[in-house]
Amino acid sequence: MPGSIASFIIGVSSIFLAYYLAAVGHGLMEKSGVLNLAIDGVFTLGVAVAFAISVYTFSVPLAIFIAMIVAALFGLMLAFITTKLPISHGAAGLSTMFLGYGLAALVGLPARQLQINGRSLATIQPSLGGTWIWFYVVAFAVAVGVWCLVEKTKIGAAIRAAGENPASAEALGVNVLAVRLFASGVGYALIGIGAALFELAYTQVWSQGAGMGYGWIAFAISLSAGRHPILILISAMIFAVLDKYRFLIAAIYNLPPDVGKMLPFVAAIAAMIIFMVTPLRRKLAPPKSLGKIYFREERSV
Amino acid sequence: MVIIRRVKPLPYWIIPIIALLAGIAISVIILYVLMGASPAAVLSAIVYGFTRPGVVAKTFVALTIVGIALLVSFKGSIWNIGGEGQITFGLMAATWVALFTALPYINPGLAQASMILLAMVAGGVWALLAALPRAYLGLDEVPVTLIMNYIAYYIVDILVRGPWLGKHVYNYIRTDTIPSQVMFPQVPGTTMTWDGLLLLIILLIGVWYLLKNTSIGLRIKILGNNPNLLRSSGISVPLMIIVALTISGIIAGSVGALYLGGDVYRISYPIEVHTANYGYTGILVAWLSMLELIAVPIAAYIVSALYTAGIQYQILVGGHLGQLITAGSAIVDVFIGSILLMYTILITISEYKIRIIVKKR
């Protein structure tokens, strides 16, 4: 049945790209050694910003652009405070997550009110005019681009050095702060685009709390593929299919629809556990200094 | 910008206070910019929260208990962000006792006690499940406990929409109301219940004893500071991780019973919308207390006042955002986020001095 295969490929294209960009952005940031626990809050905020801008201006590119900028600013802030100050990455990330949740609701609610009063939302239809093909092209292009950036360029070497051992990297002339700002800014920009696509190309509805939890799915997608830009293509695809067809899966097995809501989250934990128990964990080990406080002013002798 | 270690750290209570004021200031600005909320209205809602101990009491009791629960695991450097899921599981267990056993009609006192006890067991089990991969695989407990919150919500959703759907609920999707015998009696003039107050006192004394006088308490504290010491003295680190997280879950679970028996009396679908978010708000309490047990109730009072202020603000001014809107929880999130972030950043200045040096060309 070629028709159903085509509709399958088109159907998962938007959520695949959204998950892929968020997961690869997250991975890039963590490669530089900044533990990213703010992803869910900023993802939720990105969803709300994209929704609000789309309602206000009826422009999809503008909505994606603003969501990207907002997310990137949060990435820069996180990288700055965790590198410049001797504070816990986890605490900084979680506080930012809550701030993201709150801001998301405040940004989205007035636009939702406008929408109820009759204003419409500009969206992207993956099936229209072959848009879905571009979704896959973008995903593969980003995969190759990020892989080349991390593995083949000087900047990539600096990012990996900052993640493995920032003190030595600094001694060898790498500006750890600049490298982390770059990786986090670009990483969060990708997360922001992912969030915008999640809203405008996939769910296309918004209510308070929309997107909450999906940032953590992206987190699990990235972790279970060892933050490797090419491998994340595979795990993002698995989760995209699961997300798209979860209610169908629940219905096939005659289970309540809430089982469908639960599936991606159960799978996220399962994927992380599988990653930890298999040899993947050693092959794709996390950066050694991930989440460790690096404090330049106070170097141990 | 140059950062220098202080010879003597600042007194520990200064940072939470500065963080609180700075966080509130930032929240007021955010609310003004994004919602056009007049700072005076926000501040008056905050004053309302701080000056109505009777109204705040219910939230205060819940947040103090969650704060104590998280404190136990935070002491061991185990970041239990799954309080929300543990509370939801406790809520589920308590609902089962109240609705599906004969206990409320036989012995109401025993029924109330078993609601709380079974809620604690359920919370403990849920935390234990998150503790196992952390202890034996080294899987970061933050994403695991957080994702498990969603799973807990949906398990309860499945029950409420399926086998637990009430018979006397008109067209609402929710469980029946629990029998009046197991509605916890209220302390007159306040929103809290005797059960909650009693539980709070027992837990405060119990955890104080645990941390001060037992070997388990000592081991949890060492786990937080120097796990290698535990390892070298022959104590199993994974086991201590499990113990710390499970105790934390047991205590948090009890809040589910209080929420059911003293507040909502039934579970409404979907629970993720109807939850009080105590599990998340409790993180703020535990951090603001600087992990000092004695400071937990103080931090809980401050946070519950802000929590009430967020809800109160919505009641006062919610109108202009439209009727469908529940911005109250969003305001609470903004408060939590900005205060926590300020706290995380400002904690630096208790041990370090920040000097801005302008380079001369």
Side-chain angles (χ1 to χ4, degrees):
Chain A
M1 289 185 292
S4 65
I5 290 173
S7 75
F8 169 83
I9 293 172
I10 296 169
V12 297
S13 63
S14 54
I15 181 68
F16 164 69
L17 182 59
Y19 273 163
Y20 179 74
L21 291 178
V24 87
H26 169 80
L28 181 63
M29 176 173 181
E30 291 209 332
K31 281 267 183 207
S32 74
V34 183
L35 178 68
N36 179 17
L37 294 181
I39 180 169
D40 199 43
V42 180
F43 189 87
T44 309
L45 178 60
V47 165
V49 167
F51 168 77
I53 302 294
S54 174
V55 167
Y56 291 139
T57 66
F58 204 75
S59 160
V60 170
L62 195 62
I64 294 176
F65 180 73
I66 306 275
M68 180 186 91
I69 296 292
V70 169
L73 287 177
F74 273 89
L76 292 176
M77 180 205 63
L78 273 173
F80 181 78
I81 61 174
T82 52
T83 311
K84 194 71 193 172
L85 303 174
I87 61 174
S88 149
H89 293 204
L94 283 176
S95 356
T96 311
M97 176 185 85
F98 285 116
L99 194 58
Y101 289 159
L103 291 175
L106 296 183
V107 167
L109 285 171
R112 175 80 187 117
Q113 190 61 42
L114 269 184
Q115 198 195 19
I116 287 173
N117 296 342
R119 194 85 81 89
S120 60
L121 169 78
T123 59
I124 314 174
Q125 299 303 337
S127 56
L128 267 184
T131 311
W132 60 274
I133 300 172
W134 287 105
F135 284 0
Y136 287 106
V137 170
V138 168
F140 283 96
V142 170
V144 174
V146 172
W147 183 79
C148 286
L149 173 74
V150 173
E151 302 291 335
K152 299 289 170 200
T153 64
K154 261 193 175 171
I155 299 175
I159 291 176
R160 281 178 290 142
E164 295 293 337
N165 192 338
S168 315
E170 192 85 53
L172 290 171
V174 173
N175 183 345
V176 173
L177 180 64
V179 161
R180 286 186 172 176
L181 282 175
F182 171 78
S184 308
V186 174
Y188 258 103
L190 290 170
I191 293 174
I193 301 173
L197 289 172
F198 179 86
E199 169 63 26
L200 301 176
Y202 182 60
T203 64
Q204 305 185 345
V205 291
W206 192 89
S207 59
Q208 190 176 344
M212 255 172 100
Y214 291 91
W216 289 114
I217 305 263
F219 181 101
I221 289 172
S222 180
L223 193 151
S224 59
R227 303 178 184 81
H228 191 288
I230 309 285
L231 291 181
I232 295 174
L233 286 172
I234 301 169
S235 57
M237 194 58 181
I238 294 171
F239 276 88
V241 173
L242 196 65
D243 205 276
K244 180 79 189 170
Y245 291 100
R246 54 193 166 149
F247 294 112
L248 188 68
I249 295 170
I252 288 172
Y253 291 99
N254 213 3
L255 295 166
D258 290 304
V259 175
K261 282 202 276 178
M262 195 161 76
L263 265 180
F265 295 98
V266 177
I269 289 189
M272 291 195 287
I273 289 179
I274 290 170
F275 176 76
M276 295 306 275
V277 296
T278 53
L280 281 176
R281 174 194 193 174
R282 235 155 280 130
K283 288 238 170 67
L284 301 163
K288 282 211 182 59
S289 298
L290 177 62
K292 296 222 174 86
I293 293 173
Y294 164 63
F295 186 39
R296 189 165 159 253
E297 267 79 3
E298 196 177 58
R299 266 175 267 185
S300 49
V301 182
Chain B
M1 194 164 84
V2 175
I3 299 168
I4 306 160
R5 186 180 276 276
R6 279 182 203 279
V7 182
K8 203 172 136 212
L10 292 174
Y12 76 93
W13 46 267
I14 285 188
I15 301 302
I17 293 174
I18 304 177
L20 200 67
L21 295 177
I24 290 176
I26 290 179
S27 307
V28 168
I29 294 170
I30 290 174
L31 293 172
Y32 176 71
V33 171
L34 285 178
M35 288 171 59
S38 92
V42 178
L43 289 175
S44 76
I46 293 174
V47 170
Y48 172 93
F50 274 100
T51 50
R52 301 285 193 289
V55 179
V56 167
K58 173 177 76 181
T59 317
F60 166 73
V61 169
L63 286 181
T64 310
I65 296 177
V66 182
I68 296 171
L70 300 186
L71 176 111
V72 173
S73 73
F74 287 10
K75 280 264 187 206
S77 281
I78 299 298
W79 306 104
N80 177 15
I81 315 298
E84 194 60 26
Q86 290 139 21
I87 292 170
T88 306
F89 250 57
L91 173 68
M92 183 179 81
T95 309
W96 181 76
V97 174
L99 285 179
F100 302 101
T101 65
L103 220 50
Y105 307 100
I106 300 166
N107 185 336
L110 185 66
Q112 294 184 10
S114 17
M115 278 164 73
I116 294 174
L117 286 177
L118 212 64
M120 295 175 108
V121 172
V125 168
W126 200 237
L128 175 65
L129 286 178
L132 290 175
R134 171 67 178 89
Y136 292 107
L137 300 174
L139 184 52
D140 192 351
E141 71 280 6
V142 172
V144 174
T145 48
L146 242 159
I147 291 174
M148 282 177 72
N149 293 341
Y150 291 93
I151 300 178
Y153 287 154
Y154 298 141
I155 289 176
V156 170
D157 279 349
I158 291 167
L159 287 172
V160 174
R161 204 143 91 156
W164 286 13
L165 185 62
K167 290 175 186 68
H168 314 285
V169 293
Y170 309 101
N171 281 325
Y172 292 104
I173 305 174
R174 62 189 189 203
T175 64
D176 282 326
T177 306
I178 58 173
S180 56
Q181 288 91 332
V182 285
M183 292 181 181
F184 298 166
Q186 276 189 341
V187 179
T190 70
T191 49
M192 68 181 166
T193 59
W194 287 110
D195 302 57
L197 189 60
L198 191 65
L199 184 67
L200 171 65
I201 294 166
I202 293 172
L203 286 174
L204 260 181
I205 296 171
V207 170
W208 173 79
Y209 185 82
L210 176 87
L211 291 174
K212 197 89 187 168
N213 289 327
T214 65
S215 62
I216 292 182
L218 182 64
R219 285 170 188 179
I220 291 177
K221 283 188 274 185
I222 300 174
L223 176 69
N225 294 320
N226 189 353
N228 290 329
L229 180 62
L230 276 190
R231 212 168 279 131
S232 59
S233 30
I235 298 157
S236 160
V237 172
L239 188 68
M240 283 325 297
I241 291 173
I242 291 175
V243 168
L245 196 47
T246 308
I247 293 177
S248 180
I250 288 173
I251 301 172
S254 68
V255 176
L258 295 183
Y259 188 54
L260 177 78
D263 197 345
V264 290
Y265 307 127
R266 64 169 87 89
I267 309 180
S268 302
Y269 177 93
I271 177 72
E272 62 268 30
V273 173
H274 292 98
T275 170
N277 277 328
Y278 289 144
Y280 293 132
T281 318
I283 299 169
L284 178 56
V285 174
W287 269 342
L288 280 186
S289 75
M290 305 287 284
L291 303 191
E292 292 287 336
L293 188 63
I294 193 70
V296 170
I298 304 168
Y301 188 81
I302 295 169
V303 176
S304 51
L306 287 174
Y307 184 95
T308 312
I311 308 292
Q312 174 66 21
Y313 179 80
Q314 184 200 354
I315 297 167
L316 282 177
V317 228
H320 89 133
L321 274 174
Q323 56 280 59
L324 82 156
I325 275 153
T326 47
S329 62
I331 297 168
V332 176
D333 276 341
V334 171
F335 278 140
I336 299 181
S338 28
I339 295 169
L340 274 182
L341 196 57
M342 281 299 109
Y343 174 73
T344 314
I345 293 172
L346 287 170
I347 194 83
T348 322
I349 63 166
S350 76
E351 287 190 29
Y352 299 90
K353 273 186 272 198
I354 297 182
R355 282 198 199 138
I356 312 274
I357 297 172
V358 183
K359 279 188 193 142
K360 282 177 194 153
R361 280 170 196 271

